[in-house]
Amino acid sequence: MPATASGNSLRERGVRITRQRQILLELIDGSGKHLDAEELYRLAKEKDPKLNRVTVYRTLKMLKKGGLVDELDLMHYGGDQHYYETRLKQEHAHIICLRCGKVEEFFGDPLQKLRRQVEEHFGFHILLTRTEIGGYCSHCQALRERELEQAVEQDAPAERPRKRG
Amino acid sequence: MPATASGNSLRERGVRITRQRQILLELIDGSGKHLDAEELYRLAKEKDPKLNRVTVYRTLKMLKKGGLVDELDLMHYGGDQHYYETRLKQEHAHIICLRCGKVEEFFGDPLQKLRRQVEEHFGFHILLTRTEIGGYCSHCQALRERELEQAVEQDAPAERPRKRG
DNA sequence: GTTAGTGCAAACCTTTTGCAGCTCT
DNA sequence: AGAGCTGCAAAAGGTTTGCACTAAC
Protein backbone atom coordinates (compact mmCIF):
# COMPACT_ATOMS: atom_id res chain seq x y z
CA MET A 1 0.00 0.00 0.00
CA PRO A 2 1.62 3.25 -1.09
CA ALA A 3 0.18 5.30 1.73
CA THR A 4 1.88 3.03 4.20
CA ALA A 5 5.13 3.23 2.31
CA SER A 6 5.02 6.99 2.46
CA GLY A 7 4.07 6.74 6.09
CA ASN A 8 7.09 4.64 6.90
CA SER A 9 9.44 6.81 4.95
CA LEU A 10 8.09 9.84 6.77
CA ARG A 11 8.22 8.22 10.18
CA GLU A 12 11.88 7.49 9.66
CA ARG A 13 12.52 11.17 9.17
CA GLY A 14 10.91 11.95 12.51
CA VAL A 15 7.71 13.25 10.97
CA ARG A 16 4.63 12.46 13.00
CA ILE A 17 1.89 10.51 11.34
CA THR A 18 -1.26 12.21 12.47
CA ARG A 19 -4.80 11.28 11.61
CA GLN A 20 -5.00 14.25 9.26
CA ARG A 21 -1.86 13.29 7.41
CA GLN A 22 -3.01 9.72 7.00
CA ILE A 23 -6.20 10.93 5.40
CA LEU A 24 -4.38 13.26 3.05
CA LEU A 25 -1.73 10.72 2.09
CA GLU A 26 -4.36 8.14 1.26
CA LEU A 27 -6.28 10.58 -0.86
CA ILE A 28 -3.25 11.70 -2.85
CA ASP A 29 -2.06 8.16 -3.33
CA GLY A 30 -5.43 6.64 -3.92
CA SER A 31 -7.21 9.06 -6.21
CA GLY A 32 -6.33 8.34 -9.79
CA LYS A 33 -6.57 12.03 -10.61
CA HIS A 34 -4.39 15.03 -10.06
CA LEU A 35 -5.91 16.88 -7.17
CA ASP A 36 -5.44 20.51 -6.26
CA ALA A 37 -5.38 21.74 -2.68
CA GLU A 38 -9.02 22.74 -2.69
CA GLU A 39 -10.26 19.43 -4.04
CA LEU A 40 -8.05 17.56 -1.64
CA TYR A 41 -9.47 19.64 1.18
CA ARG A 42 -13.00 18.90 0.06
CA LEU A 43 -12.35 15.16 -0.03
CA ALA A 44 -10.50 15.20 3.25
CA LYS A 45 -13.37 16.98 4.96
CA GLU A 46 -15.64 14.14 4.01
CA LYS A 47 -13.51 11.89 6.17
CA ASP A 48 -12.89 14.44 8.90
CA PRO A 49 -15.12 17.52 8.84
CA LYS A 50 -12.87 19.33 11.30
CA LEU A 51 -9.79 19.09 9.11
CA ASN A 52 -8.65 22.53 8.13
CA ARG A 53 -7.63 23.88 4.75
CA VAL A 54 -4.40 25.14 6.26
CA THR A 55 -3.45 21.64 7.26
CA VAL A 56 -3.82 20.58 3.64
CA TYR A 57 -1.41 23.27 2.52
CA ARG A 58 1.05 22.52 5.27
CA THR A 59 0.98 18.81 4.55
CA LEU A 60 1.46 19.35 0.85
CA LYS A 61 4.40 21.61 1.51
CA MET A 62 5.98 19.00 3.73
CA LEU A 63 5.44 16.21 1.22
CA LYS A 64 6.87 18.34 -1.56
CA LYS A 65 9.92 19.17 0.49
CA GLY A 66 10.35 15.52 1.36
CA GLY A 67 10.19 14.57 -2.29
CA LEU A 68 7.13 12.38 -1.81
CA VAL A 69 4.84 14.34 -4.08
CA ASP A 70 5.40 16.40 -7.18
CA GLU A 71 3.68 19.67 -7.87
CA LEU A 72 2.14 20.29 -11.27
CA ASP A 73 0.65 23.32 -12.93
CA LEU A 74 -1.04 21.50 -15.80
CA MET A 75 -0.53 24.57 -17.96
CA HIS A 76 -2.77 26.52 -15.59
CA TYR A 77 -5.69 24.88 -17.25
CA GLY A 78 -8.03 25.39 -14.34
CA GLY A 79 -6.50 28.58 -12.97
CA ASP A 80 -3.44 29.31 -10.93
CA GLN A 81 -3.67 26.55 -8.40
CA HIS A 82 -1.29 23.61 -8.25
CA TYR A 83 -1.95 19.93 -8.64
CA TYR A 84 -0.27 17.07 -6.85
CA GLU A 85 0.70 13.49 -7.51
CA THR A 86 2.79 10.97 -5.63
CA ARG A 87 6.25 10.88 -7.02
CA LEU A 88 6.71 7.95 -9.35
CA LYS A 89 9.95 6.15 -9.98
CA GLN A 90 9.74 7.03 -13.61
CA GLU A 91 9.79 10.48 -15.03
CA HIS A 92 6.86 11.45 -17.22
CA ALA A 93 5.35 14.37 -19.04
CA HIS A 94 1.81 15.64 -18.58
CA ILE A 95 -0.28 16.30 -21.63
CA ILE A 96 -3.27 18.51 -21.01
CA CYS A 97 -6.14 19.05 -23.38
CA LEU A 98 -6.96 22.75 -23.16
CA ARG A 99 -10.54 22.11 -24.19
CA CYS A 100 -11.70 19.13 -22.10
CA GLY A 101 -9.03 19.19 -19.43
CA LYS A 102 -8.11 15.55 -19.83
CA VAL A 103 -4.59 14.76 -18.68
CA GLU A 104 -2.48 12.06 -20.29
CA GLU A 105 0.88 10.88 -19.06
CA PHE A 106 3.75 10.15 -21.34
CA PHE A 107 6.70 7.98 -20.38
CA GLY A 108 9.34 7.84 -23.05
CA ASP A 109 13.04 7.90 -23.62
CA PRO A 110 13.23 11.55 -24.74
CA LEU A 111 12.70 12.50 -21.12
CA GLN A 112 15.57 10.38 -19.88
CA LYS A 113 17.76 11.64 -22.69
CA LEU A 114 16.92 15.20 -21.88
CA ARG A 115 17.85 14.61 -18.28
CA ARG A 116 21.15 13.01 -19.17
CA GLN A 117 22.06 15.70 -21.66
CA VAL A 118 21.30 18.50 -19.23
CA GLU A 119 23.39 16.87 -16.52
CA GLU A 120 26.29 16.41 -18.88
CA HIS A 121 26.06 19.68 -20.70
CA PHE A 122 25.73 21.94 -17.67
CA GLY A 123 27.12 19.75 -14.91
CA PHE A 124 23.74 20.31 -13.35
CA HIS A 125 22.47 18.30 -10.41
CA ILE A 126 18.79 17.69 -11.18
CA LEU A 127 16.35 17.48 -8.31
CA LEU A 128 13.00 17.89 -10.03
CA THR A 129 11.66 18.20 -13.52
CA ARG A 130 8.34 19.19 -14.99
CA THR A 131 7.27 18.78 -18.57
CA GLU A 132 3.83 19.92 -19.55
CA ILE A 133 2.30 19.92 -22.98
CA GLY A 134 -0.90 21.77 -23.79
CA GLY A 135 -3.08 21.52 -26.86
CA TYR A 136 -6.06 19.57 -28.10
CA CYS A 137 -6.57 15.87 -27.70
CA SER A 138 -7.59 13.84 -30.71
CA HIS A 139 -11.20 13.89 -29.61
CA CYS A 140 -11.36 17.64 -29.16
CA GLN A 141 -9.64 18.70 -32.36
CA ALA A 142 -12.72 18.31 -34.53
CA LEU A 143 -14.97 19.82 -31.89
CA ARG A 144 -12.66 22.77 -31.55
CA GLU A 145 -12.83 23.53 -35.24
CA ARG A 146 -16.59 23.47 -35.14
CA GLU A 147 -16.53 25.81 -32.15
CA LEU A 148 -14.36 28.28 -33.99
CA GLU A 149 -16.65 28.28 -37.00
CA GLN A 150 -19.63 28.93 -34.80
CA ALA A 151 -17.74 31.61 -32.95
CA VAL A 152 -17.08 33.43 -36.18
CA GLU A 153 -20.72 33.17 -37.12
CA GLN A 154 -21.95 34.42 -33.79
CA ASP A 155 -18.97 36.70 -33.19
CA ALA A 156 -18.85 35.21 -29.71
CA PRO A 157 -15.41 33.81 -28.91
CA ALA A 158 -15.38 30.81 -26.61
CA GLU A 159 -13.13 31.07 -23.56
CA ARG A 160 -11.83 28.14 -21.62
CA PRO A 161 -13.39 27.45 -18.26
CA ARG A 162 -11.94 29.16 -15.22
CA LYS A 163 -12.73 28.80 -11.59
CA ARG A 164 -12.67 32.47 -10.96
CA GLY A 165 -15.11 34.76 -12.64
CA MET B 1 13.70 44.48 -34.33
CA PRO B 2 11.42 42.04 -32.56
CA ALA B 3 9.18 44.63 -30.96
CA THR B 4 8.24 45.94 -34.35
CA ALA B 5 7.68 42.46 -35.68
CA SER B 6 5.32 41.75 -32.83
CA GLY B 7 3.71 45.09 -33.38
CA ASN B 8 3.00 44.31 -37.01
CA SER B 9 1.72 40.87 -36.26
CA LEU B 10 -0.61 42.35 -33.68
CA ARG B 11 -1.76 45.18 -35.88
CA GLU B 12 -2.79 42.66 -38.49
CA ARG B 13 -5.09 41.08 -35.98
CA GLY B 14 -6.80 44.36 -35.32
CA VAL B 15 -5.07 44.95 -32.01
CA ARG B 16 -4.29 48.58 -31.30
CA ILE B 17 -0.71 49.50 -30.67
CA THR B 18 -0.88 51.90 -27.79
CA ARG B 19 1.98 53.70 -26.13
CA GLN B 20 1.69 51.38 -23.15
CA ARG B 21 1.85 48.27 -25.28
CA GLN B 22 4.86 49.53 -27.16
CA ILE B 23 6.68 50.04 -23.90
CA LEU B 24 5.80 46.60 -22.61
CA LEU B 25 6.64 44.83 -25.85
CA GLU B 26 10.03 46.47 -26.00
CA LEU B 27 10.78 45.51 -22.43
CA ILE B 28 9.81 41.86 -22.86
CA ASP B 29 11.70 41.61 -26.13
CA GLY B 30 14.68 43.64 -25.08
CA SER B 31 15.45 42.48 -21.59
CA GLY B 32 17.66 39.43 -21.66
CA LYS B 33 16.01 38.10 -18.53
CA HIS B 34 12.73 36.43 -17.74
CA LEU B 35 10.57 39.10 -16.22
CA ASP B 36 7.55 38.63 -14.03
CA ALA B 37 4.57 40.96 -14.10
CA GLU B 38 5.76 43.01 -11.16
CA GLU B 39 9.23 43.55 -12.53
CA LEU B 40 7.84 44.40 -15.91
CA TYR B 41 5.53 46.90 -14.25
CA ARG B 42 8.42 48.45 -12.37
CA LEU B 43 10.47 48.85 -15.54
CA ALA B 44 7.51 50.13 -17.52
CA LYS B 45 6.78 52.78 -14.91
CA GLU B 46 10.25 54.16 -15.43
CA LYS B 47 9.25 54.95 -18.98
CA ASP B 48 5.71 56.00 -18.18
CA PRO B 49 4.95 56.62 -14.52
CA LYS B 50 1.21 56.64 -15.18
CA LEU B 51 1.19 53.14 -16.62
CA ASN B 52 -0.91 50.89 -14.46
CA ARG B 53 -0.18 47.43 -13.15
CA VAL B 54 -3.48 46.22 -14.53
CA THR B 55 -2.40 47.19 -18.02
CA VAL B 56 0.63 44.99 -17.60
CA TYR B 57 -1.53 42.01 -16.72
CA ARG B 58 -3.99 42.69 -19.52
CA THR B 59 -1.21 43.07 -22.06
CA LEU B 60 0.48 39.88 -20.95
CA LYS B 61 -2.78 38.01 -21.21
CA MET B 62 -3.30 39.28 -24.72
CA LEU B 63 0.22 38.40 -25.81
CA LYS B 64 -0.09 34.96 -24.30
CA LYS B 65 -3.37 34.36 -26.07
CA GLY B 66 -1.87 35.60 -29.29
CA GLY B 67 1.04 33.22 -28.93
CA LEU B 68 3.60 36.01 -28.88
CA VAL B 69 4.91 35.28 -25.41
CA ASP B 70 5.29 32.14 -23.37
CA GLU B 71 4.53 31.93 -19.71
CA LEU B 72 6.99 30.22 -17.40
CA ASP B 73 6.88 29.20 -13.78
CA LEU B 74 10.58 28.54 -13.35
CA MET B 75 9.74 25.90 -10.78
CA HIS B 76 8.21 28.60 -8.61
CA TYR B 77 11.69 29.57 -7.64
CA GLY B 78 10.74 33.08 -6.64
CA GLY B 79 7.18 32.37 -5.55
CA ASP B 80 3.98 31.77 -7.41
CA GLN B 81 4.26 34.47 -10.00
CA HIS B 82 4.79 33.83 -13.68
CA TYR B 83 7.62 34.83 -15.92
CA TYR B 84 7.47 35.78 -19.55
CA GLU B 85 9.60 35.53 -22.62
CA THR B 86 8.98 36.22 -26.28
CA ARG B 87 8.18 33.05 -28.06
CA LEU B 88 11.21 31.73 -29.92
CA LYS B 89 11.11 29.67 -33.06
CA GLN B 90 12.90 26.90 -31.30
CA GLU B 91 11.61 24.98 -28.36
CA HIS B 92 13.77 24.95 -25.28
CA ALA B 93 13.83 23.83 -21.69
CA HIS B 94 14.52 26.07 -18.71
CA ILE B 95 16.98 24.93 -16.14
CA ILE B 96 16.72 26.72 -12.82
CA CYS B 97 19.25 26.62 -10.03
CA LEU B 98 17.24 26.42 -6.84
CA ARG B 99 20.03 28.01 -4.86
CA CYS B 100 21.18 30.99 -6.94
CA GLY B 101 18.18 31.33 -9.23
CA LYS B 102 20.24 31.31 -12.41
CA VAL B 103 18.29 30.18 -15.44
CA GLU B 104 19.88 28.30 -18.32
CA GLU B 105 18.21 27.42 -21.56
CA PHE B 106 18.63 24.09 -23.25
CA PHE B 107 17.94 23.50 -26.92
CA GLY B 108 18.34 19.89 -27.89
CA ASP B 109 16.82 17.15 -29.95
CA PRO B 110 15.15 15.35 -27.03
CA LEU B 111 12.62 18.15 -26.98
CA GLN B 112 11.76 17.80 -30.66
CA LYS B 113 11.62 14.04 -30.28
CA LEU B 114 9.32 14.34 -27.32
CA ARG B 115 7.03 16.59 -29.29
CA ARG B 116 6.93 14.25 -32.25
CA GLN B 117 6.32 11.19 -30.11
CA VAL B 118 3.48 12.82 -28.22
CA GLU B 119 1.81 13.93 -31.45
CA GLU B 120 2.10 10.47 -32.92
CA HIS B 121 1.27 8.50 -29.83
CA PHE B 122 -1.81 10.43 -28.76
CA GLY B 123 -2.82 12.13 -31.98
CA PHE B 124 -2.44 15.27 -29.92
CA HIS B 125 -2.34 18.74 -31.43
CA ILE B 126 0.33 20.59 -29.47
CA LEU B 127 -0.08 24.30 -28.91
CA LEU B 128 2.38 24.98 -26.12
CA THR B 129 4.97 23.14 -24.14
CA ARG B 130 6.87 23.86 -20.99
CA THR B 131 9.84 21.95 -19.68
CA GLU B 132 11.43 23.08 -16.47
CA ILE B 133 14.28 21.46 -14.62
CA GLY B 134 15.21 22.40 -11.08
CA GLY B 135 18.32 21.53 -9.13
CA TYR B 136 21.76 22.90 -8.42
CA CYS B 137 24.06 24.41 -11.01
CA SER B 138 27.65 23.25 -11.11
CA HIS B 139 28.76 26.29 -9.18
CA CYS B 140 26.26 25.86 -6.40
CA GLN B 141 26.69 22.15 -5.80
CA ALA B 142 29.84 22.55 -3.73
CA LEU B 143 28.46 25.56 -1.89
CA ARG B 144 25.30 23.66 -1.09
CA GLU B 145 27.24 20.83 0.50
CA ARG B 146 29.16 23.24 2.64
CA GLU B 147 25.92 24.87 3.72
CA LEU B 148 24.50 21.56 4.82
CA GLU B 149 27.61 20.66 6.77
CA GLN B 150 27.56 23.95 8.60
CA ALA B 151 23.88 23.50 9.38
CA VAL B 152 24.62 20.14 10.98
CA GLU B 153 27.55 21.51 12.99
CA GLN B 154 25.53 24.39 14.36
CA ASP B 155 22.65 22.11 15.17
CA ALA B 156 24.75 19.64 17.14
CA PRO B 157 27.86 21.32 18.59
CA ALA B 158 29.17 18.46 20.75
CA GLU B 159 26.59 15.72 20.82
CA ARG B 160 23.72 14.88 18.54
CA PRO B 161 20.54 14.78 20.59
CA ARG B 162 18.14 13.37 18.03
CA LYS B 163 15.14 12.99 20.26
CA ARG B 164 16.14 14.03 23.71
CA GLY B 165 19.30 14.96 25.61
C1' DG C 1 -17.20 58.84 -34.24
C1' DT C 2 -16.57 54.18 -32.76
C1' DT C 3 -14.66 50.91 -30.25
C1' DA C 4 -10.88 49.10 -27.95
C1' DG C 5 -7.86 50.18 -24.29
C1' DT C 6 -6.61 52.56 -19.88
C1' DG C 7 -6.56 53.78 -14.96
C1' DC C 8 -8.44 53.37 -10.56
C1' DA C 9 -10.47 50.89 -6.86
C1' DA C 10 -12.03 46.99 -5.24
C1' DA C 11 -12.65 42.18 -5.49
C1' DC C 12 -10.88 37.72 -6.01
C1' DC C 13 -8.44 33.23 -5.43
C1' DT C 14 -4.77 30.74 -3.62
C1' DT C 15 -1.52 30.29 -0.21
C1' DT C 16 0.96 31.68 4.09
C1' DT C 17 1.56 33.24 8.94
C1' DG C 18 0.84 34.06 14.10
C1' DC C 19 -0.72 32.12 17.95
C1' DA C 20 -3.18 29.35 21.45
C1' DG C 21 -4.38 24.84 22.34
C1' DC C 22 -4.08 19.89 21.35
C1' DT C 23 -1.67 15.33 20.40
C1' DC C 24 1.66 12.15 19.02
C1' DT C 25 5.70 9.74 20.75
C1' DA D 1 6.86 16.04 29.14
C1' DG D 2 7.52 18.44 25.27
C1' DA D 3 8.34 19.13 20.49
C1' DG D 4 5.47 18.96 16.71
C1' DC D 5 1.00 19.56 14.73
C1' DT D 6 -3.66 21.52 14.26
C1' DG D 7 -7.33 24.93 13.88
C1' DC D 8 -8.79 29.49 13.62
C1' DA D 9 -8.45 34.13 12.08
C1' DA D 10 -6.25 37.16 9.61
C1' DA D 11 -2.98 38.64 6.15
C1' DA D 12 -0.27 38.31 2.18
C1' DG D 13 0.77 37.78 -2.77
C1' DG D 14 -0.58 37.59 -7.33
C1' DT D 15 -4.13 38.41 -10.59
C1' DT D 16 -8.77 39.82 -12.33
C1' DT D 17 -13.05 42.70 -12.82
C1' DG D 18 -16.43 46.76 -13.11
C1' DC D 19 -16.84 51.12 -14.64
C1' DA D 20 -16.08 55.77 -16.27
C1' DC D 21 -12.82 58.08 -19.06
C1' DT D 22 -9.34 58.34 -22.91
C1' DA D 23 -7.14 57.54 -27.14
C1' DA D 24 -6.26 54.78 -31.48
C1' DC D 25 -8.07 53.92 -35.77
Side-chain angles (χ1 to χ4, degrees), chain A residues 57-84:
Chain A
Y57 280 105
R58 281 196 277 232
T59 301
L60 286 171
K61 198 174 192 177
M62 191 238 357
L63 293 172
K64 228 187 332 179
K65 204 167 168 183
L68 288 159
V69 304
D70 279 323
E71 190 177 65
L72 316 173
D73 295 290
L74 299 184
M75 282 298 179
H76 306 133
Y77 170 76
D80 282 348
Q81 72 280 55
H82 303 138
Y83 301 86
Y84 299 88

Side-chain angles (χ1 to χ4, degrees), chain A residues 1-21:
Chain A
M1 194 182 284
T4 309
S6 305
N8 286 338
S9 131
L10 287 175
R11 220 184 299 263
E12 282 160 21
R13 299 176 206 211
V15 172
R16 292 186 184 168
I17 308 301
T18 61
R19 182 176 34 80
Q20 291 91 333
R21 287 179 179 174

Side-chain angles (χ1 to χ4, degrees), chain B residues 28 33-37 40 57 60-61 64 69-72 82-86:
Chain B
I28 299 172
K33 307 182 300 171
H34 300 104
L35 303 171
D36 62 12
L40 186 54
Y57 280 105
L60 286 171
K61 196 173 192 177
K64 226 185 335 178
V69 305
D70 280 322
E71 189 177 67
L72 316 174
H82 303 139
Y83 301 86
Y84 300 88
E85 69 178 8
T86 50

Side-chain angles (χ1 to χ4, degrees), chain B residues 16 18 20-21 50-52 55 58:
Chain B
R16 292 184 186 171
T18 62
Q20 291 92 329
R21 286 178 178 172
K50 300 278 301 182
L51 194 148
N52 196 276
T55 299
R58 282 195 277 231

